[in-house]
Amino acid sequence: FGQAGKFSQARLHAHGNKYALDLEAAPANRTRVSFSVRGSALPLLPDWVFDDLTAKGELLGNELVITEIDSRILGGILLGNVRISWRSGWRAQGSLVAKTITMQNMLKAMSGDMDGTARFQMQASSLAGLTDAATLDGSFVIRKGVINGIDIVETARLRSTESMPGGRTHFDELSGELSYAKDIYAFRQLKMAAGVLAAKGTVDYSGQQVAGSI
């Protein structure tokens, strides 16, 4: 604190510097905020373990605006921003940009490197309930990958109307749109290029259940 008793700066860290938070007073009653995470998950996102994450922004009244998020996770890079407010309940919204995310670290049934963009929002009466009410919409491209458990090329060759279990499908590129709400992932406008094969389809994924058409 300064000589007049006003807040000036705070530096906090925990768990051997795996978590670090810096707060610094700024003009117009604002507070500059920066925090970092090393080899750990954020409290509200226990399944997202970041190799490294840094974020910068400002705190003003009942709102926290993070303008810059730069992280390393799942073998790739995740960038973004988020605005969190708590004037009447809790609300968060922002955007994400993913680069070269290793799909096998996310889904054991698929490999390849993914690039994508998405916007998300959350709204709840309490901070703890924010992620339970999350929704997300975006698009993605996965390159040079493999889908395990189904051979789409062989299924098409035999003109089967049902998927043939087993086998693998190698693809050059798989792209589409993704939405998420209430623990359900919906993949739409899927397009896959795999050598001589071009495929389109839709897939819904919830827990361990997958349904769709190709």
Side-chain angles (χ1 to χ4, degrees):
F1 293 86
Q3 292 182 350
K6 291 186 177 182
F7 171 76
S8 175
Q9 188 179 54
R11 292 184 176 180
L12 311 171
H13 58 87
H15 299 289
N17 286 325
K18 286 188 175 182
Y19 297 93
L21 170 65
D22 285 1
L23 304 172
E24 183 180 357
N29 293 322
R30 296 175 180 269
T31 303
R32 295 189 185 95
V33 177
S34 64
F35 65 88
S36 62
V37 177
R38 305 280 187 272
S40 301
L42 294 172
L44 292 179
L45 299 170
D47 297 329
W48 289 32
V49 177
F50 292 90
D51 300 321
D52 180 84
L53 179 148
T54 59
K56 298 178 181 179
E58 284 191 334
L59 175 65
L60 175 61
N62 297 323
E63 190 172 60
L64 172 63
V65 180
I66 300 296
T67 55
E68 180 183 334
I69 299 173
D70 188 338
S71 65
R72 304 295 181 273
I73 187 173
L74 299 172
I77 300 171
L78 188 64
L79 311 173
N81 59 73
V82 60
R83 180 185 295 265
I84 305 172
S85 62
W86 50 91
R87 290 185 179 87
S88 178
W90 287 80
R91 182 181 178 85
Q93 57 185 354
S95 62
L96 298 171
V97 177
K99 299 180 180 180
T100 62
I101 298 294
T102 303
M103 286 302 300
Q104 198 164 10
N105 292 335
M106 295 178 61
L107 300 172
K108 298 301 182 183
M110 182 179 292
S111 65
D113 291 333
M114 180 190 73
D115 294 340
T117 61
R119 292 196 60 81
F120 65 90
Q121 62 179 1
M122 315 172 194
Q123 189 169 357
S125 58
S126 65
L127 175 62
L130 264 184
T131 54
D132 295 333
T135 61
L136 179 146
D137 292 283
S139 60
F140 65 91
V141 177
I142 304 170
R143 296 180 175 87
K144 301 297 183 182
V146 176
I147 301 174
N148 295 310
I150 178 174
D151 188 336
I152 298 176
V153 176
E154 186 67 6
T155 301
R157 187 182 70 82
L158 297 177
R159 299 181 181 180
S160 174
T161 58
E162 297 181 0
S163 65
M164 302 181 64
R168 310 169 75 189
T169 301
H170 294 262
F171 60 87
D172 300 313
E173 183 174 291
L174 173 64
S175 63
E177 295 182 355
L178 163 67
S179 63
Y180 169 85
K182 298 181 179 179
D183 294 328
I184 298 175
Y185 294 88
F187 298 88
R188 296 293 181 266
Q189 297 187 30
L190 292 174
K191 296 180 180 180
M192 184 180 70
V196 298
L197 176 72
K200 297 181 180 180
T202 64
V203 173
D204 291 325
Y205 174 81
S206 176
Q208 298 300 314
Q209 300 297 318
V210 180
S213 63
I214 299 173

